[in-house]
Amino acid sequence: IHRDIKPENLLLTSDYHVKLADFGTVCLEDSVENNKFTGTPLYVSPEMLTTGRASKTSDIWALGCVLYQLFVGRPPFQGTSEYLVLQNVKQRNFEFPPYFPADAKDLCDRMLCSDPSQRIGNNGFAEIKSHPFFSTIDWNDLLIHSNETFLNKDFSEEWKEVLLKGEKVVFASVILKE
C-alpha cells in the first residue's frame, strides 16, 4: 500500500504517462509494525483515521481525492484546520459542483465510499478499469501508445517568453470561475 497518493507524488512523463513517486510510506497490508497512521490529511482514507491501518483500497480513496481535485481545482475535503479536514473525511462531508462530468462523478463517488469493503476496486482493478469513465482507454494498448490527446498539445511556443531554457508546457486549459 502506497499510503501517500497525492498530486505531488504523481509525475507526468514526456509521453504523458503517469508515474507514481515517493515510496517512503509504502507498506505491506499485513505488516503490523509498518502499517501505522501516515499520509497527507487531504487524501487520507477514513479507515486510516478510525483504525490507524490502511486497507487494500486506501490508495483508491486517495486516487478518488486526486480525481476530484483534477476536476474542481481543490481536494474534496476542506477545513480551516487539519482536525476539521479529518472530521470531514470521517463524515464524508463534501459536495460535487454542478459542472462535474457524470461519469467522473460516479467513479469519484464510488472511490470515495467510506466503507473500504464497498469501495470500487475492492474486488480488483478490473472493476475500476471497466468503469464508463475509462471507456475510451484501450488498457491492452496503454503502455504501447502514448495517451496524448488534442488536449495535451505542446503549448511551449505560445508561452516561450515566460519559460526558462529547457522548460515546456505540457497542458493548458481555460480556468473557469463560479
Side-chain angles (χ1 to χ4, degrees):
I1 303 171
H2 188 278
R3 299 189 304 162
D4 200 22
I5 293 178
K6 57 186 176 181
E8 297 91 321
N9 290 339
L10 300 175
L11 307 175
L12 189 62
T13 67
S14 60
D15 60 347
Y16 306 105
H17 289 280
V18 176
K19 299 285 184 176
L20 189 56
D22 189 357
F23 293 88
T25 59
V26 169
C27 72
L28 297 172
E29 185 176 19
D30 298 331
S31 172
V32 174
E33 63 279 354
N34 291 328
N35 201 355
K36 296 184 173 108
F37 181 86
T38 189
T40 304
L42 294 169
Y43 308 95
V44 71
S45 64
E47 59 271 19
M48 282 293 289
L49 301 176
T50 57
T51 68
R53 296 183 58 80
S55 72
K56 68 180 183 179
T57 61
S58 294
D59 289 343
I60 294 171
W61 172 278
L63 283 173
C65 292
V66 171
L67 178 64
Y68 181 98
Q69 186 169 353
L70 289 171
F71 282 99
V72 179
R74 62 171 175 75
F77 303 100
Q78 301 288 298
T80 54
S81 69
E82 187 175 293
Y83 174 80
L84 292 174
V85 169
L86 297 177
Q87 289 304 307
N88 285 330
V89 169
K90 283 182 186 178
Q91 298 165 11
R92 199 177 180 268
N93 183 19
F94 76 101
E95 293 180 5
F96 289 100
Y99 57 83
F100 211 98
D103 284 342
K105 180 179 178 180
D106 182 70
L107 177 60
C108 188
D109 193 44
R110 295 178 66 198
M111 288 177 142
L112 296 177
C113 176
S114 295
D115 180 350
S117 69
Q118 298 301 309
R119 199 171 293 150
I120 191 170
N122 184 54
N123 298 314
F125 288 108
E127 214 174 14
I128 296 171
K129 291 162 72 172
S130 65
H131 190 277
F133 179 76
F134 296 113
S135 65
T136 61
I137 303 294
D138 180 352
W139 294 101
N140 295 322
D141 235 10
L142 189 61
L143 296 177
I144 298 168
H145 299 288
S146 170
N147 58 7
E148 182 174 358
T149 69
F150 70 94
L151 293 174
N152 298 109
K153 75 175 191 160
D154 186 353
F155 291 86
S156 301
E157 185 62 31
E158 183 180 337
W159 294 98
K160 68 182 175 186
E161 297 84 32
V162 296
L163 296 174
L164 299 174
K165 184 178 180 178
E167 286 185 321
K168 75 176 197 175
V169 178
V170 294
F171 184 78
S173 69
V174 178
I175 297 173
L176 301 174
K177 285 184 140 185
E178 288 186 31

